[in-house]
């Protein structure tokens, strides 16, 4: 039972354009969400997060939007750069628990 | 700036062999985690240790054991390796949750394990 879903395995975007990565979740108890970025042969690195009390969080070129009623979040990257090419994982946690539940990942390729 | 260090980086085992994957962090984090990553499956939690002296099962604990040796080190043991355990294993650490203070997990670069 996949509680966090990333339905697009891959996405290709031109440099300078917006990249939008999507994530859906089924567990309404999740109250904190994170995005991780992963390059080949490296571990995931934390990118940005959002609490369920907010609907938007921004950090430079990266913005995460949360729609609690739809149980949906998205990561926007503007403008996209070739160095953004990586696999992006959405993750969620609930309450005081420290463990994360991850989605299956979306491979983003930013083309010149 | 070592962060989370995993050893070895690569390993090939034969079915039935045993193996311990090592993980150490130098960020003074209380919580540590072991994940496996398989194609199309994302990262799945095997075991975690919320604080020194405690360990708990995650989503896929069968076939594994863990030891929280001290605050810095958290090892993962495969007692009798099976081909289904071929995967990339990631260790992570984080601060323990405190109200209003969600800290992200920091990951090592992984151990690529193949079981023949």
């Amino acid at each position: 039972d996949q509680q966090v879903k990333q339905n697009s395995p891959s996405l290709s975007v031109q440099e300078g354009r917006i990249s939008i990565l999507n994530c859906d979740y089924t567990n309404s108890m999740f109250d904190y969400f994170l995005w991780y970025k992963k390059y080949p042969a490296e571990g995931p690195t934390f990118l940005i997060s959002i609490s369920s009390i907010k609907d938007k969080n921004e950090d430079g070129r990266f913005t995460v939007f949360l729609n609690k009623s739809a149980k949906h979040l998205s990561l926007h990257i503007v403008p996209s750069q070739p160095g953004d090419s990586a696999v992006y994982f959405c993750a969620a946690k609930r309450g005081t628990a420290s463990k994360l539940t991850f989605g299956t990942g979306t491979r983003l390729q930013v083309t010149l | 700036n070592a962060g989370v260090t995993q050893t070895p980086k690569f390993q090939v085992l034969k079915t039935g062999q045993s193996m311990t994957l090592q993980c150490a962090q130098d960020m003074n984090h209380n919580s540590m985690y072991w994940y496996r990553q398989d194609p199309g499956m994302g990262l799945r939690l095997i075991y975690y240790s919320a604080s020194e002296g405690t360990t708990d099962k995650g989503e896929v604990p069968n076939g594994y054991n863990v030891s929280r040796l001290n605050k810095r080190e958290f090892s993962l043991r495969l007692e009798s390796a099976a081909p289904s355990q071929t995967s990339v294993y990631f260790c992570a650490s984080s601060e323990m949750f405190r109200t209003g203070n969600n800290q992200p997990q920091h990951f090592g670069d992984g151990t690529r394990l193949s079981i023949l």
Side-chain angles (χ1 to χ4, degrees):
Chain A
D1 177 29
Q2 193 75 29
Q3 297 186 65
V4 178
K5 301 177 185 179
Q6 294 176 256
N7 292 319
S8 297
S10 63
L11 175 67
S12 183
V13 172
Q14 273 191 321
E15 182 181 11
R17 301 283 191 121
I18 183 171
S19 295
I20 300 176
L21 294 90
N22 294 304
C23 178
D24 298 294
Y25 61 96
T26 58
N27 189 338
S28 57
M29 299 298 289
F30 288 143
D31 58 5
Y32 193 74
F33 304 89
L34 307 90
W35 284 94
Y36 280 82
K37 175 179 179 179
K38 184 184 180 304
Y39 292 119
E42 294 184 8
T45 56
F46 170 71
L47 194 56
I48 192 169
S49 62
I50 188 166
S51 166
S52 60
I53 63 172
K54 296 185 176 181
D55 54 18
K56 176 182 174 181
N57 189 26
E58 196 170 351
D59 183 1
R61 297 187 297 113
F62 302 92
T63 303
V64 56
F65 295 91
L66 175 62
N67 182 334
K68 289 191 293 292
S69 60
K71 294 192 180 68
H72 177 84
L73 63 156
S74 61
L75 174 68
H76 293 211
I77 306 173
V78 184
S80 300
Q81 299 174 353
D84 296 329
S85 296
V87 177
Y88 290 79
F89 289 99
C90 170
K93 68 182 289 294
R94 50 178 286 186
T96 58
S98 56
K99 57 182 182 177
L100 297 175
T101 300
F102 281 85
T104 52
T106 297
R107 183 178 303 277
L108 172 66
Q109 183 175 8
V110 180
T111 59
L112 298 174
Chain B
N1 267 4
V4 178
T5 303
Q6 292 184 235
T7 54
K9 294 192 184 305
F10 304 95
Q11 185 70 47
V12 179
L13 294 177
K14 293 181 179 179
T15 298
Q17 287 185 315
S18 61
M19 168 83 188
T20 298
L21 279 61
Q22 307 288 350
C23 175
Q25 53 92 8
D26 63 1
M27 294 172 283
N28 202 34
H29 286 163
N30 287 298
S31 303
M32 298 186 73
Y33 315 82
W34 276 105
Y35 294 88
R36 60 179 288 174
Q37 184 192 9
D38 302 293
M41 302 291 286
L43 285 90
R44 293 182 294 168
L45 184 65
I46 304 171
Y47 270 94
Y48 68 104
S49 171
S51 61
E52 188 178 356
T54 68
T55 59
D56 286 286
K57 294 178 180 179
E59 186 183 350
V60 287
N62 291 345
Y64 305 95
N65 286 301
V66 290
S67 294
R68 183 73 184 268
L69 304 170
N70 48 54
K71 191 172 185 179
R72 288 187 65 246
E73 298 172 287
F74 188 38
S75 63
L76 178 72
R77 183 161 178 84
L78 288 71
E79 290 291 351
S80 179
S84 61
Q85 294 178 305
T86 293
S87 187
V88 181
Y89 291 85
F90 290 100
C91 177
S93 70
S94 71
E95 280 295 336
M96 186 183 293
F97 173 86
R98 290 182 176 81
T99 302
N101 180 21
N102 277 296
Q103 293 297 316
Q105 294 179 16
H106 299 259
F107 285 79
D109 284 339
T111 295
R112 190 173 297 273
L113 184 61
S114 294
I115 298 157
L116 307 176

